[in-house]
Amino acid sequence: MEFTDPTVIDPTGRDIHGEATRIRGRGPVTPVELPHGVPAWAVSSAPLLKRLLTDPRVSKDPRRHWQRWIDGQVSPDWPLYTWVAVQNMFTAYGTEHKRLRTLVSKAFTARRTAALRPRIEEITATLLDRVAKAGAGGGADGHPVDLREEFCYPLPIQVIGELLGLPEELGAELRAVVDGVFHTSADAAEVVDIYTRFYAVLGELVAAKQASPGDDLTSALIAAHEEESGTRLSEQELLDTLMLVISAGHETTVNLLDNAVHALLTHPGQLAHVRAGRASWDDVIEETLRAEAPVASLPLRYAVEDLPLGELGGPDGAVIRKGEAILAAYAAAGRDPEQHGPDAAAFDVTRASKDHLAFGYGVHHCLGAPLGRLEARVALPALFERFPGLTLAVPSDELRPVDSFISHGHRSLPVLTG
């Protein structure tokens, strides 16, 4: 399999689904060009991607397995640098991944997640009051309200902030730097600035928790860092694990809420199914994750050795060579007709099979998936119960996507509360 005529990935993410369709149209695995001309293989076949995500010959550690990194060809001003340079379980492989995930799992427990439900309900109620106030007046339909800004974004960022024990004064800076990490068309100066500022915020958070530990995830991770054993977190791993929890712990949920609301408002028949009891809110959540994957494409994985794809159900004779990069094309895989039939692109909450890879698969399956689903299970029914006449304030085709080919959502979601 030769790397020729690659699809150039649009770093601004202006047409996530159109680009995904073009990638799928070129086969289950196709060459793509990432920002700065970086080559990778995009995998859009859901069955093949699932097998690759669990294959021990596929790594997430660039230091050991990405030839381009090993050769010193990846610079800190690359827009995706943070995604591959961090040292945490996201970029770990084999026993290192198991060590780091085990340490984080001890802090990110099911008990801690389940205990958050009453607080999530309180935050949701407060935010809905804020939405109601912002939308009041202005005639029969009221004022337009940016639901992403007023509801979809603040809910998960407040939840993850409280989970981490984040001091309130760091909140605004944290939001700015997290947004920057997902800005895949950023110029060199912005990339370096965001990277520097993110570590400054994390350093302040760690210092605050070292001075005054609490019953929070940051304190638990610091305790893991300070354990006198061979399995403890190094200082860099501590900071990078916090970066991972913050970034992954809210961005996917923001987009899940945003995309679910947009899908229901633009498919009123689907909302009617939910209201009539023909589908549940869990159906809404899983179908949104499938058809409108919050993370469109996730960088990167690497071939530990030559990968003959025919052995994995891929095209016969096709081989991803040792040291080459792999892009998990989740948005494309979620709408794969091979998996979901000819209507795979349709949003259908009554669909029998909503299987998806939106939270990853295998050993790298997102630890925060239960929290994201919990937030959506609380927030979505509460929103539509509070505002049964909710409508988009502008035509759907006027909405603009976030400036990213990783993050899949809208820059704003203006609605009328009715």
Side-chain angles (χ1 to χ4, degrees):
M1 188 165 62
E2 297 297 324
F3 195 93
T4 57
D5 188 27
T7 297
V8 178
I9 298 293
D10 179 2
T12 69
R14 283 172 292 189
D15 184 15
I16 291 292
H17 289 309
E19 188 167 79
T21 299
R22 290 190 292 274
I23 288 173
R24 266 199 320 270
R26 300 190 62 179
V29 182
T30 190
V32 294
E33 182 180 300
L34 303 177
H36 294 195
V38 173
W41 295 100
V43 182
S44 59
S45 160
L48 178 58
L49 181 55
K50 193 172 185 178
R51 295 185 189 104
L52 284 171
L53 294 177
T54 56
D55 195 304
R57 298 170 296 174
V58 176
S59 168
K60 295 196 75 175
D61 186 346
R63 292 166 180 82
R64 295 168 61 188
H65 300 122
W66 188 21
Q67 197 60 49
R68 195 175 188 90
W69 180 281
I70 295 167
D71 293 343
Q73 298 180 50
V74 182
S75 63
D77 63 355
W78 188 43
L80 306 183
Y81 186 80
T82 302
W83 291 90
V84 302
V86 289
Q87 297 179 44
N88 55 34
M89 64 184 183
F90 182 78
T91 56
Y93 172 71
T95 56
E96 276 297 283
H97 175 264
K98 184 178 181 180
R99 175 181 69 86
L100 292 168
R101 189 175 178 101
T102 299
L103 288 168
V104 176
S105 297
K106 291 178 181 178
F108 212 100
T109 62
R111 176 194 63 80
R112 192 186 295 274
T113 298
L116 287 170
R117 183 174 189 117
R119 182 60 183 139
I120 293 170
E121 291 171 345
E122 290 176 7
I123 296 170
T124 297
T126 299
L127 291 174
L128 290 177
D129 287 343
R130 193 166 87 181
V131 169
K133 184 176 180 180
D141 293 327
H143 290 295
V145 180
D146 181 356
L147 202 65
R148 183 177 175 96
E149 178 68 23
E150 300 294 338
F151 186 69
C152 302
Y153 199 108
L155 173 59
I157 198 67
Q158 187 168 344
V159 170
I160 203 68
E162 293 185 7
L163 182 67
L164 290 166
L166 184 76
E168 187 174 343
E169 61 271 18
L170 295 180
E173 176 68 354
L174 178 68
R175 171 172 180 171
V177 294
V178 171
D179 286 348
V181 168
F182 286 88
H183 184 199
T184 51
S185 64
D187 60 29
E190 182 182 350
V191 171
V192 174
D193 177 60
I194 289 298
Y195 194 67
T196 303
R197 288 166 59 193
F198 210 151
Y199 278 114
V201 173
L202 295 176
E204 289 186 53
L205 172 59
V206 169
K209 288 298 153 183
Q210 285 174 328
S212 180
D215 182 21
D216 54 70
L217 183 54
T218 304
S219 298
L221 290 173
I222 290 171
H225 164 59
E226 294 173 345
E227 283 178 359
E228 292 298 327
S229 71
T231 61
R232 70 185 183 91
L233 288 170
S234 70
E235 183 174 353
Q236 190 65 52
E237 289 168 344
L238 169 62
L239 294 173
D240 287 351
T241 295
L242 287 168
M243 182 183 290
L244 172 63
V245 171
I246 293 167
S247 300
H250 97 279
E251 184 72 16
T252 51
T253 308
V254 174
N255 291 335
L256 169 57
L257 295 174
D258 171 349
N259 290 336
V261 173
H262 175 259
L264 291 173
L265 295 184
T266 53
H267 298 81
Q270 300 300 310
L271 180 56
H273 283 317
V274 179
R275 286 175 166 160
R278 294 185 293 270
S280 68
W281 286 105
D282 282 344
D283 289 323
V284 171
I285 292 165
E286 298 308 311
E287 180 65 351
T288 301
L289 289 167
R290 182 200 69 81
E292 301 291 347
V295 173
S297 294
L298 191 63
L300 281 170
R301 285 171 166 81
Y302 321 98
V304 174
E305 59 186 70
D306 286 358
L307 288 171
L309 298 181
E311 297 177 2
L312 299 170
D316 289 332
V319 178
I320 297 178
R321 299 296 177 187
K322 177 181 177 179
E324 293 183 332
I326 301 167
L327 183 71
Y330 289 132
R335 295 185 172 201
D336 180 7
E338 182 183 353
Q339 180 85 4
H340 295 290
D343 68 340
F347 179 79
D348 181 4
V349 296
T350 66
R351 185 183 300 275
S353 172
K354 304 178 184 68
D355 289 348
H356 60 78
L357 299 169
F359 286 120
Y361 190 74
V363 297
H364 282 280
H365 183 266
C366 179
L367 273 177
L371 177 58
R373 285 187 168 104
L374 174 60
E375 289 174 284
R377 286 189 188 113
V378 170
L380 291 172
L383 172 69
F384 282 91
E385 182 177 346
R386 179 72 177 268
F387 305 113
L390 195 70
T391 57
L392 285 178
V394 299
S396 181
D397 60 9
E398 291 185 11
L399 299 176
R400 295 293 175 261
V402 293
D403 194 349
S404 177
F405 74 86
I406 298 174
S407 182
H408 175 212
H410 302 93
R411 296 186 191 182
S412 64
L413 190 64
V415 298
L416 296 169
T417 55

